[in-house]
Every structure is written in structure tokens, then in C-alpha cells.
Amino acid sequence: MSDIIKIGVLGAGRGLSMIQYANKAANAKLVAICDCSEFHIERIKNKLNDDSITYYTSFDEFLDHDMDAVVLANFANEHAPFAIKCLE
């Protein structure tokens, strides 16, 4: 098992603090970001300027990415269906 945790973040706006953490942490690697808004995806893609991160607008495609953990940074009242999909 790797000492580096591969993290995916759902929510390119609300997830900015976790995106920044995963990008700087010695024990984590930001590998994927998902947001239903193309605007938010383009904004964070331009801000990070990192070709090693994969960007998604489809949550189902995002879940197929090779990662160890998913951060749900969407609205709290919307977490349940996304959490259930992650667990499945």
C-alpha cells in the first residue's frame, strides 16, 4: 500500500480548501476534481495548471478514476446520494 493517498474532490468551488490541502500535503495527491459546472471546472483547471489532475463533469465517470478517497464538497443536504454511490 502506498503512503500517498490519492484524493478526488467533488465540488470545485466549495472544495477549494481540500483541493489546496491535497495539492500541498506530503501524504496526499490530488488526482481528480468533479463539478457539474463547466465554468467551475475551467476556473480551477486554469488556477491549478496541473496536467496530472483529471477533471470531470460526470460523477459516475469521476468514480471510475483510480483514487483512494473522495471528498464530498457539495451542499450538505446533497451528500447522501453521492456518498451511497461512493460506497457502492
Side-chain angles (χ1 to χ4, degrees), residues 4-86:
I4 304 297
I5 298 170
K6 295 178 283 189
I7 297 177
V9 176
L10 170 66
R14 298 177 78 76
L16 187 56
S17 61
M18 182 50 75
I19 289 168
Q20 291 170 334
Y21 165 78
N23 237 5
K24 294 179 182 174
N27 62 342
K29 171 72 177 134
L30 179 64
V31 296
I33 298 172
C34 180
D35 198 293
C36 63
S37 166
E38 281 285 342
F39 172 80
H40 289 303
I41 290 292
E42 286 305 314
R43 188 187 67 181
I44 197 70
K45 187 187 270 190
N46 291 332
K47 179 178 179 135
L48 297 175
N49 195 28
D50 185 342
D51 292 336
S52 72
I53 301 168
T54 305
Y55 301 88
Y56 298 92
T57 55
S58 164
F59 188 69
D60 291 332
E61 290 176 19
F62 167 75
L63 285 181
D64 286 337
H65 196 92
D66 179 26
M67 56 191 158
D68 303 311
V70 172
V71 175
L72 298 178
N74 56 335
F75 293 109
N77 63 335
E78 297 175 350
H79 283 339
F82 292 99
I84 289 167
K85 278 191 166 195
C86 289

